Amino acid sequence: MPKNKTNSGAKKRFRLTGSGKVMRQRARHVHKFQERPKRQSRRLVNDVVVAPADAKNIKKLLGK
């Protein structure tokens, strides 16, 4: 049987924790930080857990 391939778009956007949770970055955390309030910039730094409804599909894309 051929090997499963990891979806290259998913591996750039999501990561798995040691306990198996799927983490993602917050939206708008890419560029133009000088135009945002500092409070918003700090809030966007932390990664968040993906919604449970999406986690199963994302794990499949990551090959887990």
Side-chain angles (χ1 to χ4, degrees), residues 10-49:
K11 70 183 176 186
K12 296 171 190 173
R13 290 171 172 83
F14 304 105
R15 64 183 176 84
L16 286 176
T17 63
S19 60
K21 295 178 187 173
V22 184
M23 303 294 286
R24 66 166 175 85
Q25 274 195 332
R26 288 184 178 271
R28 301 181 182 187
H29 183 257
V30 182
H31 56 88
K32 290 194 171 182
F33 284 107
Q34 68 274 12
E35 298 177 12
R36 302 187 201 285
K38 297 301 174 212
R39 180 181 292 181
Q40 183 186 21
S41 301
R42 286 194 308 273
R43 184 179 64 82
L44 295 174
V45 166
N46 301 322
D47 291 357
V48 291
V49 179

